[in-house]
Amino acid sequence: MSYITLSNEIDSVYSKLLTEHKRSIAVVATTAGEGVTSMVLALARRILLSGQSVLVVDFNSHNPFFSSSICLPHFQQQDLPPRLLTDERHQLVMTGVQAPNSKSKLLHLRCPGKLEKQISQWLNDFDFVIFDTTPFGQVNQHNIPAQRVAAAVDSCILMVLSGVTTDVMVQESV
């Protein structure tokens, strides 16, 4: 996977988030492979380059990006503590959160108000929180559905792959 560094499109998204005071963002898609993780990473890098802090939340249990983590002592008392996360090739390190493995924690976060409370806690420590979500069609007992994450955040970015994502898919997602 190549990482987008800077582009007018990423700058445009970043500027819109700033002007509209959107600090918690879910990047969503109808199916896998539409660029959700690439957008999350590009936006996170853009935020970091501006001198602000960002927490990347990898709730994409269908295809998680981060493979290993290092605990950060300051956050150990939290239910979902931020950690230093890295990809499998160790080319990228970011502060992030991985989806919980515990079924009870997953069910807890699905309840109305619980994820919102967690996001509020994260926003006390970070300027932005960006979610990498599973595709809309990948709802199962092992994830937090993208629909649930979308309902909890300030703003959503819907990724659409030209020539693949149909108008009907976009309408159903919206």
Side-chain angles (χ1 to χ4, degrees), residues 58-80:
D58 190 357
F59 274 8
N60 187 349
S61 60
H62 176 70
N63 188 19
F65 176 76
F66 294 108
S67 61
S68 61
S69 64
I70 300 168
C71 189
L72 296 170
H74 173 71
F75 298 105
Q76 284 182 340
Q77 302 303 318
Q78 293 184 10
D79 283 340
L80 289 173

Side-chain angles (χ1 to χ4, degrees), residues 130-149:
I130 304 175
F131 286 86
D132 186 344
T133 64
T134 57
F136 279 128
Q138 298 291 327
V139 176
N140 61 50
Q141 65 181 346
H142 303 292
N143 69 19
I144 297 169
Q147 296 88 325
R148 177 68 196 102
V149 178

Side-chain angles (χ1 to χ4, degrees), residues 3-85:
Y3 305 112
I4 302 167
T5 51
L6 292 175
S7 72
N8 290 338
E9 292 82 4
I10 299 299
D11 276 344
S12 176
V13 171
Y14 173 69
S15 294
K16 186 151 182 79
L17 293 171
L18 279 180
T19 57
E20 294 183 5
H21 307 286
K22 307 295 185 185
R23 297 180 55 213
S24 59
I25 303 103
V27 182
V28 299
T30 60
T31 59
E34 292 185 289
V36 169
T37 301
S38 295
M39 175 57 99
V40 166
L41 297 175
L43 191 53
R45 287 187 84 171
R46 177 62 184 93
I47 290 167
L48 290 170
L49 286 171
S50 73
Q52 295 175 303
S53 61
V54 62
L55 179 70
V56 174
V57 182
D58 190 357
F59 274 8
N60 187 349
S61 60
H62 176 70
N63 188 19
F65 176 76
F66 294 108
S67 61
S68 61
S69 64
I70 300 168
C71 189
L72 296 170
H74 173 71
F75 298 105
Q76 284 182 340
Q77 302 303 318
Q78 293 184 10
D79 283 340
L80 289 173
R83 300 170 177 264
L84 288 180
L85 302 178

